[in-house]
Amino acid sequence: MTSSLPEILGECLEALEREGLTLDECLARYPEQREALRPLLSAALELRRAPEAAPSAEFQRVARARLLNRLPDRAAAPRRRLGWLALGWPRWQRPSLRWAASLALVIALLGGTTAAYASAGSVPGDGLYPLKRSLEEARLALTFSPVDKTQLRVEFAARRLDEAEALLQQGQPGQAEALLSTYETERAWVTQTLTDWSDPRAQALAAALAAHDARRAALAGRLWPTAIAAQVTATASATASATITPTPSATRTPSPTVTRLSSQTPTPRAYPTLIETPIVTHIVAPLPTDKVVVPPILSRYCWPAGVPTPEQWPAGWPTPDPNCEPLPIPTQICWPPGVATPDPSRWPDGVPTPDLNCWPDRRATRAAELATALPTRWPTDWPTPDPSAWPPGNWATARPTDWLTPDPGNWPTPDPSAWPTSSGNWATAWPTDWPTPDLNDRTPRRP
Amino acid sequence: MPPRPPNPADADLVAKAIAGDREAFGDLYEHYLPAIYRYVFYRVGDAGEAEDLTETVFVKAWEALERYRPTEAPFAAWLYRIAHNLVVDRHRAQKPVDPLDEHVVEVRPEADPAAQAEAREAASALAQALKKLEPAQQEVLALRFVNGLSHAETATIMGRSAGAVRVLQHRALAALRQWLKKAESK
């Protein structure tokens, strides 16, 4: 039987690799293909002799610590609850897709349509969510056309975005971030599949994926720390110093100053103006990068007064304080990409508008970043302020001047008709570190 | 470059990592870092980018560990697959990097300066030639010859048959040869 040139080339390369033959010895085995094989084998050998590229010594020195600091907490990942259905198993230990397909059939036969329908709107943490994901797996298992299968994957990837959006609205950014990560994994597989295709439907799927990518980018923009995870500066190298300025160029960029205090001073909180909306209305200034690793003892975040603030402040960060020390209005404000800028109508005259193009290039600060070996992610175990530990009497003095002072005499009476009737979800938007409101007690008080 | 032998404790480490053991995952990282870095470096041609992407490969792997099925693919193959997807994404999302220069190629430090300079030049020429090839051709050559994987291992990672990998390898070497000849004649 005559072998094709690719096969002969493969055999010859394997002989070089396994038997230790020389190039000429290998060519002698295939005299007819000798001339065709020689340049190909030479190129292969040249590649094999390629210098052994290795990460820089600095990178290797801190690699493990850097990685471990970047790893998200998987404890925050969605947990599955329907243990008896075996859905709580780690996925790789779970029964096969054939089993999942059988499950889908059983559910269908036993009138499980209602459950399937009910699970459609579920999100991680809901009891029906594992069912939703299992049904997706079952549909994939029962789909044999590669095109249809990829179409399903695109559809399911979009569902992860729906879920991430829902979780963001519920104030669960950690789980939303995990879903975006799942989306990216699915997306990577789909794009790889599409590159191998000539099917006309591939174009439509690529277009659908592009639309989903836009949604994903918008969601990532709302997830503060991850949206700028790649934009890391290293000016925080002086970890021991009391003041850390997280922008690399003090002359170009305003310097939100992080002040480390020696004790667990709590973060000042806003008074709610309405009991249903205990949301801070003003926070301050150009954002720091997530490279500014603030140790847990830090609890104040100083910011230039007069600089408008982003609309969304990352959960878990100390509330910025424009009153802790005077900071001048900067001449240029470099705004991190991916973080929504404040409403232009709030932007005062005389303050430079945010510049999205001047955020420092990571490369420029890379060496210092590696040398400091600081974690690249905001600590997930950021301590929640304990209201009972707040200093008596003076904690409100650091409150921003533009926050409203509540007047108990004008405290609004909650409108019972506007109160959510369902007991299922109204409490989820309540800050986790605030006491659960007592609906029967309308006496004004600090939250 | 012969492939690094599989770590006999891999299965144990992987199981621990799946269960959430960060230190076990750190051990896996240290074991596979050189191989994944090498693969990524010869795909992107930039040391800084390669370090970033390599780290990201492992972050993605950590996030997706619960979905990893040891029975379907070896852990190394799974990592290469993630690395490949990230490289593809990176090529789609970014402009090409500047040509390699002596400042971005890190070679083994034990070599003398002259040998290091020569090695850098050779690595640059090869990486530049590789970058001219189609993505699948780049991948097959990087896996087969830079990382020293077998036809079967390469086939597993690329999701193709061993025969398809041989055909792709043949075309890729022929294309590489053309680019190297072109570079030599300049």
Side-chain angles (χ1 to χ4, degrees):
Chain A
M1 191 179 96
T2 308
S3 296
S4 66
L5 188 57
E7 285 173 0
I8 293 174
L9 174 66
E11 288 168 13
C12 212
L13 285 167
E14 281 177 356
L16 292 172
E17 291 158 8
R18 294 180 187 171
E19 302 169 32
L21 293 190
T22 64
L23 178 61
D24 288 331
E25 285 170 339
C26 197
L27 290 174
R29 289 186 178 181
Y30 305 96
E32 288 181 17
Q33 288 81 19
R34 185 184 181 91
E35 292 313 309
L37 281 176
R38 181 184 290 280
L40 299 176
L41 290 173
S42 297
L45 291 177
E46 202 164 333
L47 262 181
R48 190 153 293 161
R49 284 193 296 266
E52 188 179 341
S56 64
E58 295 92 333
F59 180 84
Q60 293 191 52
R61 184 169 56 79
V62 299
R64 184 185 179 110
R66 267 177 56 127
L67 178 83
L68 292 183
N69 273 309
R70 262 188 84 182
L71 295 184
D73 185 3
R74 268 209 266 122
R79 291 185 183 278
R80 307 177 197 290
R81 293 179 182 168
L82 301 182
W84 71 272
L85 277 176
L87 297 171
W89 298 357
R91 187 164 167 172
W92 66 274
Q93 289 181 337
R94 244 183 273 152
S96 65
L97 288 178
R98 191 179 302 165
W99 191 94
S102 307
L103 170 70
L105 284 174
V106 169
I107 287 174
L109 291 172
L110 297 180
T113 313
T114 306
Y117 179 78
S119 74
S122 62
V123 295
D126 292 347
L128 286 175
Y129 189 70
L131 176 63
K132 177 181 179 179
R133 296 296 293 267
S134 293
L135 288 173
E136 289 179 359
E137 286 197 5
R139 281 184 69 190
L140 283 170
L142 292 169
T143 304
F144 302 102
S145 152
V147 180
D148 292 342
K149 202 181 272 275
T150 308
Q151 194 163 12
L152 275 181
R153 279 184 171 263
V154 172
E155 181 189 325
F156 296 158
R159 288 186 186 176
R160 301 295 86 80
L161 295 181
D162 295 340
E163 292 157 10
E165 187 154 18
L167 287 170
L168 261 182
Q169 285 171 357
Q170 291 177 17
Q172 299 183 60
Q175 295 204 344
E177 188 180 354
L179 286 167
L180 289 194
S181 183
T182 307
Y183 169 82
E184 282 166 21
T185 308
E186 289 294 316
R187 181 192 170 283
W189 281 99
V190 169
T191 48
Q192 174 59 27
T193 308
L194 292 179
T195 55
D196 293 343
W197 273 2
S198 55
D199 189 290
R201 278 193 282 171
Q203 204 173 352
L205 286 175
L209 204 58
H212 297 329
D213 282 348
R215 274 183 68 206
R216 184 222 161 270
L219 287 169
R222 292 163 60 186
L223 273 170
W224 150 255
T226 44
I228 63 162
Q231 293 293 337
V232 173
T233 59
T235 352
S237 56
T239 50
S241 68
T243 300
I244 301 173
T245 305
T247 44
S249 167
T251 55
R252 294 173 55 220
T253 313
S255 305
T257 305
V258 173
T259 308
R260 208 161 26 151
L261 299 186
S262 58
S263 65
Q264 290 269 4
T265 308
T267 304
R269 289 272 187 183
Y271 287 100
T273 53
L274 290 172
I275 199 162
E276 304 98 309
T277 55
I279 304 300
V280 176
T281 54
H282 283 72
I283 338 168
V284 203
L287 295 171
T289 71
D290 61 343
K291 184 64 182 180
V292 181
V293 177
V294 185
I297 58 172
L298 180 142
S299 60
R300 291 183 72 196
Y301 193 46
C302 300
W303 210 262
V307 175
T309 60
E311 305 296 339
Q312 289 195 322
W313 191 254
W317 287 52
T319 307
D321 182 357
N323 298 326
C324 52
E325 64 182 270
L327 290 170
I329 298 292
T331 54
Q332 184 182 17
I333 297 178
C334 298
W335 204 268
V339 175
T341 51
D343 181 353
S345 65
R346 285 180 50 208
W347 206 266
D349 292 333
V351 177
T353 50
D355 185 347
L356 300 176
N357 299 316
C358 65
W359 193 257
D361 179 8
R362 179 177 187 185
R363 185 83 44 91
T365 56
R366 179 170 187 76
E369 174 195 330
L370 289 172
T372 57
L374 292 173
T376 59
R377 185 172 282 266
W378 194 264
T380 53
D381 55 350
W382 192 270
T384 306
D386 176 5
S388 66
W390 289 12
N394 68 351
W395 65 272
T397 57
R399 192 178 65 223
T401 51
D402 54 351
W403 284 357
L404 299 176
T405 303
D407 178 358
N410 291 329
W411 198 270
T413 305
D415 177 4
S417 66
W419 204 265
T421 51
S422 163
S423 62
N425 64 0
W426 67 269
T428 57
W430 199 259
T432 53
D433 53 350
W434 286 32
T436 306
D438 180 356
L439 299 185
N440 299 318
D441 180 0
R442 297 188 181 180
T443 309
R445 65 181 63 183
R446 285 179 186 174
Chain B
M1 165 59 41
R4 198 163 174 174
N7 185 346
D10 264 9
D12 186 39
L13 288 174
V14 169
K16 285 181 179 172
I18 288 172
D21 186 333
R22 301 163 82 92
E23 292 303 322
F25 192 73
D27 291 345
L28 288 169
Y29 178 51
E30 288 184 336
H31 182 74
Y32 288 106
L33 170 63
I36 298 297
Y37 174 85
R38 200 158 51 240
Y39 169 78
V40 172
F41 171 76
Y42 276 98
R43 296 291 311 275
V44 302
D46 179 283
E49 288 270 356
E51 287 172 359
D52 288 347
L53 275 177
T54 302
E55 191 175 276
T56 306
V57 166
F58 285 88
V59 173
K60 298 281 180 199
W62 170 260
E63 291 170 345
L65 255 182
E66 285 184 325
R67 296 195 298 279
Y68 167 59
R69 296 181 175 92
T71 52
E72 289 182 3
F75 187 65
W78 189 64
L79 288 177
Y80 278 117
R81 194 73 209 162
I82 295 173
H84 165 76
N85 289 333
L86 282 173
V87 168
V88 168
D89 278 359
R90 178 243 180 228
H91 284 315
R92 285 168 191 266
Q94 295 183 8
K95 61 182 182 182
V97 295
D98 294 335
L100 286 163
D101 62 38
E102 62 180 16
H103 300 297
V104 297
V105 180
E106 188 84 15
V107 297
R108 286 295 179 200
E110 58 265 25
D112 65 59
Q116 281 195 22
E118 201 175 317
R120 283 195 188 99
E121 201 175 317
S124 294
L126 270 179
Q128 283 304 306
L130 274 176
K131 282 167 62 182
K132 307 284 186 192
L133 308 183
E134 292 170 14
Q137 294 178 341
Q138 288 180 33
E139 188 180 15
V140 76
L141 294 186
L143 291 172
R144 284 281 290 122
F145 304 112
V146 175
N147 283 68
L149 303 183
S150 69
H151 288 118
E153 289 166 327
T154 305
T156 302
I157 292 166
M158 296 188 71
R160 300 176 187 230
S161 68
V165 164
R166 282 195 174 88
V167 171
L168 185 59
Q169 168 182 261
H170 172 237
R171 288 181 187 154
L173 283 173
L176 177 70
R177 182 71 189 160
Q178 290 299 319
W179 280 110
L180 288 175
K181 265 174 70 177
K182 210 176 276 186
E184 281 167 13
S185 64
K186 278 184 185 173

